[in-house]
């Protein structure tokens, strides 16, 4: 607040500065004394990673410790003319002569970021995948391998380590043409390489059927009550020795829950939403069928309802 002469009050009064609108307003009568004024004060902010660093830097992105130059190198942009004119110029020659040694890493990090965005993954998973790829790249033994499969495998391992697993089929859908088999081989190579580097096995976390349940149910448009029942059922299923993959168990539980509701889902729709083959869902259903009374919550379905289910 400050003082200024108000033509309405005919005296000097306290005024209020509205910085968002650029207005100077009389605090007594509300008259706008000046509008759309320009704020000429400093607008510096601190973009440093450490809170103790108070350097008021206004430009530049965050540093990247995985790159040799911290990701803060300068690239000379091409002029409006053709690329040939740029390369023949002195600036172009110096740009090529001092080419960034981290160019390959930067492109790889961009690819991982694109895949992460398409899968809706959080930044921590993307950063973990970048770290894994950097460790593999430092071994200088990945030349000649399928780069897309390698990056996809890094993302798959990162999801496992961050307890947000994705199926190989989901990873494959954003892997720029890399097949499930290629991603599987790349994953084994990464685990072996990092194991030799650290001298110990690579922890990837344990996959549970419940890790996929909410996402699969969302893909099928199931209501909250059915989702809750499916989550409880899949947790109880872990008490039994059902030798099926967690993804297959999750798909079978969803099939059972939907068959007990008014909104029954065709087996084909469940297969598409979960990425599990229809035959695999049927076989998993056979393994779960003897334990239905102990798996399905009592509040969701009674014993009579379970008897009405089709036997496998």
């Amino acid at each position: 607040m400050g003082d200024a002469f108000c033509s309405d009050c005919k005296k000097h009064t306290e005024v209020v500065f509205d910085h968002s609108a650029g207005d100077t307003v009389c605090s007594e009568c509300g008259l706008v004394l000046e509008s759309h004024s320009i704020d000429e004060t400093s607008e510096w902010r601190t973009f440093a990673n450490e809170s103790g660093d108070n350097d008021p830097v206004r430009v530049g992105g965050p540093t990247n410790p995985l790159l040799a130059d911290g990701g803060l190198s300068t690239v000379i942009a091409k002029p409006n003319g053709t690329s040939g004119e740029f390369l023949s110029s002195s600036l172009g020659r110096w740009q090529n002569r001092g080419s960034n040694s981290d160019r390959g890493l930067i492109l790889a990090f961009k690819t991982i970021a694109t895949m992460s965005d398409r899968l809706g993954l959080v930044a921590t998973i993307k950063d973990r995948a970048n770290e894994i790829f950097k460790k593999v790249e430092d071994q200088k033994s990945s030349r000649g391998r399928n780069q897309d499969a390698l990056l996809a495998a890094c993302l798959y391992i990162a999801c496992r380590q961050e307890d947000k697993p994705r199926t190989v089929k989901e990873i494959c859908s954003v892997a720029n043409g890399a097949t499930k088999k290629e991603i599987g081989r790349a994953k084994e190579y990464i685990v072996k390489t990092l194991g030799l580097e650290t001298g110990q096995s690579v922890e990837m976390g344990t996959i549970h059927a419940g890790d996929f349940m909410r996402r699969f149910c969302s893909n099928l448009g199931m209501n909250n009550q059915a989702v809750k029942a499916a989550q409880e059922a899949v947790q109880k299923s872990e008490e039994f020795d059902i030798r099926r993959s967690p993804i297959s168990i999750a798909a079978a539980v969803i099939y059972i829950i939907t068959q007990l509701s008014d909104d029954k889902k065709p087996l084909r729709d469940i297969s598409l939403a979960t990425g599990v083959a229809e035959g695999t869902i049927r076989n998993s259903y056979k393994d779960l069928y003897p334990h239905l009374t102990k798996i399905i919550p009592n509040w969701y379905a009674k014993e009579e309802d379970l008897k009405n289910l089709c036997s496998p």
Side-chain angles (χ1 to χ4, degrees):
M1 297 182 69
D3 291 338
F5 182 81
C6 176
S7 58
D8 222 16
C9 299
K10 305 297 183 182
K11 61 179 181 179
H12 279 83
T13 61
E14 288 189 341
V15 294
V16 178
F17 297 99
D18 185 353
H19 295 281
S20 60
D23 295 340
T24 304
V25 184
C26 175
S27 61
E28 293 191 11
C29 66
L31 178 68
V32 177
L33 304 178
E34 185 179 357
S35 62
H36 304 296
S37 58
I38 299 175
D39 186 2
E40 297 180 353
T41 59
S42 171
E43 58 178 0
W44 280 345
R45 290 177 56 194
T46 300
F47 290 92
N49 293 328
E50 288 77 17
S51 58
D53 189 351
N54 293 321
D55 180 25
V57 180
R58 284 195 62 220
V59 295
T63 59
N64 189 341
L66 299 179
L67 301 176
D69 56 9
L72 300 178
S73 60
T74 301
V75 178
I76 304 172
K78 296 180 180 180
N80 294 330
T82 62
S83 59
E85 294 176 358
F86 171 72
L87 294 175
S88 63
S89 66
S90 58
L91 285 178
R93 288 195 297 271
W94 278 107
Q95 177 74 49
N96 289 337
R97 187 178 301 176
S99 61
N100 190 349
S101 59
D102 289 331
R103 184 176 297 173
L105 279 177
I106 293 172
L107 292 175
F109 292 166
K110 286 182 178 179
T111 302
I112 290 175
T114 301
M115 290 191 295
S116 299
D117 290 341
R118 291 175 63 185
L119 288 173
L121 303 177
V122 296
T124 53
I125 295 178
K126 179 195 70 175
D127 294 339
R128 176 63 66 92
N130 289 343
E131 292 175 10
I132 294 172
F133 180 77
K134 179 65 165 59
K135 290 178 181 178
V136 174
E137 190 71 9
D138 288 344
Q139 300 301 310
K140 305 296 183 184
S141 60
S142 60
R143 292 182 179 178
R145 294 186 175 272
N146 187 324
Q147 185 82 345
D148 291 325
L150 203 63
L151 296 175
C154 289
L155 195 60
Y156 174 81
I157 295 172
C159 290
R160 292 276 300 268
Q161 291 183 344
E162 292 293 324
D163 295 325
K164 300 293 182 183
R166 292 294 187 272
T167 65
V168 178
K169 193 168 185 178
E170 288 177 299
I171 298 293
C172 184
S173 66
V174 297
N176 299 324
T179 64
K180 291 173 62 176
K181 191 173 184 179
E182 290 171 337
I183 295 173
R185 288 176 178 173
K187 185 200 72 173
E188 293 176 0
Y189 163 75
I190 293 171
V191 171
K192 181 181 178 181
T193 301
L194 297 185
L196 293 174
E197 179 193 9
T198 60
Q200 56 187 4
S201 60
V202 178
E203 289 290 336
M204 291 208 303
T206 305
I207 294 180
H208 299 280
D211 297 332
F212 308 95
M213 186 57 69
R214 182 167 290 276
R215 192 168 67 257
F216 288 166
C217 292
S218 176
N219 293 340
L220 286 164
M222 295 168 59
N223 58 50
N224 292 334
Q225 190 178 24
V227 173
K228 183 181 178 182
Q231 289 178 319
E232 290 186 21
V234 83
Q235 289 178 354
K236 291 180 181 179
S237 68
E238 295 180 356
E239 300 173 4
F240 303 94
D241 185 21
I242 301 172
R243 299 185 179 182
R244 294 284 175 181
S245 70
I247 304 172
S248 301
I249 293 175
V253 167
I254 290 174
Y255 173 73
I256 296 168
I257 293 296
T258 57
Q259 296 308 302
L260 291 170
S261 67
D262 295 331
D263 185 19
K264 292 180 172 58
K265 304 290 184 183
L267 189 61
R268 181 175 179 274
D269 290 352
I270 297 174
S271 175
L272 290 174
T274 61
V276 182
E278 294 182 26
T280 304
I281 297 176
R282 289 194 189 95
N283 292 332
S284 300
Y285 172 58
K286 292 179 183 178
D287 294 340
L288 288 171
Y289 188 79
H291 311 289
L292 288 186
T293 55
K294 298 179 181 179
I295 291 176
I296 305 301
N298 295 331
W299 59 265
Y300 186 76
K302 297 179 180 179
E303 190 171 347
E304 295 78 15
D305 299 326
L306 298 178
K307 290 180 180 178
N308 293 329
L309 279 176
C310 297
S311 59

